[in-house]
Amino acid sequence: MCLGIPGQVVELIDSEQMMAQVDVAGVKRPVNIACIVDEHHPPEACIGDWVLVHVGFAMSRIDAGEAARTLAILAELGDLQEEQAAMHEGAR
Amino acid sequence: MKYVDEFRDPAKAKALVKEIAALREMITPHHQTPLQLMEFCGGHTHTIFRYGIEQLLPDWIELVHGPGCPVCVLPMGRVDDCVALAERPDVLFTTFGDAMRVPGSKKSLLQAKAEGADVRMVYSPLDALQLAKKHPDRQVIFFALGFETTMPSTALTVLQAEREGIENFSLFCNHITTVPTIKAILDSPDMRIDGFLAPGHVSMVVGEQPFRFVAEHYRRPIVITGFEPLDILQSIWMLLQQMADGRCEVENQYARVVPSRGNSPGLDAIAQVFELREFFEWRGLGSIDHSGVRMRPAYAPFDAEKKFAVPKLRITDPKSCQCGEVLKGSIRPWQCKVFGNACTPESAMGALMVSSEGACAAYYNFGDLQELLQRREKEAIPA
């Protein structure tokens, strides 16, 4: 639950509800982007952003290098697969 | 056990450990030995054990594993409340997977589910909201737990439920707060902590400012820390460097994720939906002032505590448990009388054995159990 998992915003689903499709190492799921949006960074600008996702909410924008490093370490610890399975389960 | 050496730029790790060791002359004359540094966050505890960071450090540095695992510190009475809610025939109870196995005084949520209660694991509070839309005839309750890291997500979900007019969705709010808890540790009379590694993802939400009191009022250095093994080593080095320079500051090692002002949309959502409770009960630490939040009266229609009769059971921790002492660093996990015999991950008595991120479970799973138990026995013989 406390684990953040990096993903890339691939498309907007609903800019009013602040929902976007995020790709987490190949698993896509809807994620809320309200916490990474502000007047200088509208929902449309989020496409392509690398973000840290916590329980279905993008909580921080990160750079691609940080995303890759974090994904590698999560995979190493076996946490990536677990988190992806939970995401997939929750999306159904 | 995996060691840093096997991964992630071993040369860098070695260099850091060397630099840490080199600070000894500057530090030990002015501080207790061993020096005690506390990592608050269960995620940090996890990294420390998975990568054997304690074994890399010189013996004059001791890591104290703090109470930052929200699953571990959940009082048994709260789990009983969850079970009572989940067993109502009109309720569909949703929870993060982490909380399923936490023992209540009679059963866990997993056992309640096996006995027929409708308990479902969800990845996100948004999944719980989806279930509420899908099952308008059921009362869907989401078990909201976690520190400030997960608070924005539940707050935003409630705001969405309100916008969409979804009336069969509510939170059983058990969110807890970091800062009052660090303060309670600093105020406890047997506290000996010399410096803190502050939780990275809590800080991502709340920013640097809330931790200033640790440096300014309590004169302890504190460093916001990331979750890779090198992050932890670097933060330890930063803490020691502050001590060597005679500084007490909030520093941010994890600036690549943590903005110094935190996350404003997240903080706004928290402030809109939640307010501080006068006190909150923790497993192992007892009652701590202002250490939890509840929903504001305006959101009562989404508050399971207002909507349903929650028994609010209070179950005292088993007397033989010494979780509180372990959390404050006054004893090491394996020095507790019940560690490894009456209290194991399979049948946990104490908070810290409950989740894999708890300090006792980490020692049990990653340490040399026989050696630890022998050490306890030896030390117990009166001199």
Side-chain angles (χ1 to χ4, degrees), chain B residues 206-347:
Chain B
V206 303
E208 294 173 14
Q209 194 279 332
F211 296 107
R212 267 194 214 150
F213 78 99
V214 177
E216 286 166 11
H217 183 72
Y218 290 90
R219 307 300 301 160
R220 299 289 195 288
I222 180 163
V223 175
I224 295 167
T225 305
F227 293 89
E228 294 184 33
L230 285 178
D231 288 330
I232 295 197
L233 285 174
Q234 194 184 8
S235 290
I236 291 171
W237 176 78
M238 287 166 78
L239 280 177
L240 297 179
Q241 198 65 56
Q242 284 198 40
M243 290 177 200
D245 298 348
R247 287 179 294 128
C248 284
E249 293 166 13
V250 182
E251 289 182 300
N252 186 357
Q253 182 274 338
Y254 199 32
R256 61 189 196 270
V257 169
V258 174
S260 61
R261 296 171 68 177
N263 185 297
S264 343
L267 287 171
D268 290 347
I270 292 175
Q272 198 174 340
V273 175
F274 299 123
E275 61 185 17
L276 281 180
R277 293 179 193 258
E278 286 71 29
F279 58 87
F280 202 65
E281 195 75 23
W282 293 57
R283 255 185 110 152
L285 288 177
S287 178
I288 301 176
D289 288 353
H290 309 302
S291 66
V293 298
R294 64 177 164 236
M295 298 179 75
R296 289 187 184 277
Y299 295 93
F302 302 98
D303 186 349
E305 277 179 85
K306 303 256 170 64
K307 241 171 135 171
F308 306 99
V310 179
K312 296 196 178 159
L313 300 164
R314 291 193 65 179
I315 313 285
T316 44
D317 292 330
K319 281 216 164 50
S320 45
C321 274
Q322 293 180 284
C323 291
E325 283 95 322
V326 174
L327 285 174
K328 285 177 280 188
S330 48
I331 66 167
R332 310 286 287 159
W334 44 269
Q335 289 172 323
C336 170
K337 289 184 293 290
V338 292
F339 175 89
N341 32 50
C343 187
T344 64
E346 290 75 40
S347 69

Side-chain angles (χ1 to χ4, degrees), chain B residues 129 132 136 138-140 161 164-170 301-302 307:
Chain B
L129 189 59
R138 311 288 306 280
Q139 286 293 334
V140 174
E164 297 185 348
I166 298 167
E167 290 173 359
N168 63 326
F169 174 79
S170 59
F302 302 98
K307 241 171 135 171

Side-chain angles (χ1 to χ4, degrees), chain B residues 58-77:
Chain B
D59 58 5
W60 52 275
I61 300 173
E62 185 178 294
L63 297 179
V64 177
H65 316 293
C69 161
V71 177
C72 301
V73 297
L74 202 60
M76 262 197 272

